[in-house]
Amino acid sequence: MTRHRAVRWGVQLALMLALLSTSAFLMLRDYIDNDEELFDEGRVTEVVKQGPVTIGDVEWKLDSLETYTTLVNDEGEEISLDDKPAGSVIVVAKMTVKPLDGLYMKENGFSCTASLRDDRGNQWQTKQPFKFALPTYCTNEDQPFYRNKPGALAGVYVVPESAVPHLTGVVVQNLSERRRIILTP
C-alpha cells in the first residue's frame, strides 16, 4: 500500500509542477514577447552590412568607419573636441542619408541620430565638431538635406582606444517601428 501511495504522490507532484510551469509561462508570455520592452532594453532587431536600409522614412547607408587620433578642417587646422579624454580616439562614420516621402522636414532638415556600438553592448553618441568637412547632423543650414536625394552625413564619436577592435557598427533606430538596426562596415 505504501508503494501505491508513493506512485500516486509522484504523479500528483509531476502534474502540479506541469500546471505551475504552464501558468508561469502564460503569465510571463506578454513580457517575453513584448517588443516594446525588448526595444527599451536595447535589443537589436536587424544587422545589415552597410545598407541601404530604410527606417522611419529615412534611408541609411554606412559608407566607411575610420579611426583618427585628431580631426582637421579644410584648412588643415586641428578641430578640438572638448570632451576627448586621454587614451581615447575619434571614430568617424561616413554615411549616406536620404530623407524619403512621408518624413517631416523643416527648413531643409530633419531629426536624425546614429550611435556607435561595440560587441560588449557599449554605445556612444555623436559629437558636433565645429568646422568639420561633412555635416554631423541632419539640420545643417550650410549643407541642407532634400527629400528623396541622398546627402552625406558624418557621425563623429569619441571612444576609448581599447574599444576600437570591438566596434560592430552604427545603430539607427525608430521607436514607433520598434526597430533597431546595426549597419556594419
Side-chain angles (χ1 to χ4, degrees):
M1 190 149 194
T2 55
R3 183 174 176 196
H4 179 63
R5 188 181 294 177
V7 169
R8 189 175 78 199
W9 186 78
V11 169
Q12 287 175 342
L13 183 61
L15 180 60
M16 178 77 84
L17 286 174
L19 288 173
L20 280 173
S21 61
T22 302
S23 64
F25 170 75
L26 292 174
M27 282 179 30
L28 296 175
R29 175 178 60 189
D30 292 336
Y31 299 103
I32 293 171
D33 293 336
N34 188 342
D35 287 339
E36 183 176 349
E37 182 82 21
L38 293 172
F39 183 85
D40 291 343
E41 291 174 1
R43 179 185 73 160
V44 173
T45 58
E46 301 167 51
V47 177
V48 178
K49 182 156 178 74
Q50 292 183 313
V53 63
T54 301
I55 184 167
D57 296 324
V58 179
E59 184 179 279
W60 293 84
K61 182 176 183 253
L62 177 62
D63 300 319
S64 67
L65 196 62
E66 299 173 4
T67 306
Y68 300 93
T69 54
T70 59
L71 292 179
V72 293
N73 62 20
D74 291 337
E75 291 97 37
E77 300 168 346
E78 183 177 340
I79 297 172
S80 71
L81 292 169
D82 296 331
D83 53 351
K84 184 182 177 286
S88 63
V89 295
I90 302 164
V91 177
V92 177
K94 292 181 182 171
M95 298 172 274
T96 302
V97 179
K98 181 168 63 169
L100 303 172
D101 290 331
L103 179 68
Y104 174 75
M105 292 181 71
K106 183 178 179 180
E107 298 176 15
N108 296 327
F110 58 99
S111 176
C112 69
T113 58
S115 53
L116 184 66
R117 191 166 179 161
D118 70 5
D119 59 8
R120 300 183 230 172
N122 297 314
Q123 201 158 300
W124 295 271
Q125 301 304 315
T126 58
K127 304 295 179 188
Q128 306 297 323
F130 186 65
K131 292 190 176 181
F132 191 67
L134 293 173
T136 55
Y137 47 94
C138 298
T139 54
N140 192 323
E141 292 176 5
D142 298 330
Q143 298 170 327
F145 287 86
Y146 300 101
R147 194 176 309 281
N148 298 314
K149 292 187 179 179
L153 179 71
V156 178
Y157 310 93
V158 176
V159 302
E161 190 173 2
S162 60
V164 172
H166 299 279
L167 295 177
T168 55
V170 176
V171 176
V172 293
Q173 61 188 13
N174 185 287
L175 176 63
S176 63
E177 295 176 16
R178 303 286 191 266
R179 291 175 64 205
R180 182 174 288 118
I181 302 169
I182 292 183
L183 296 168
T184 62

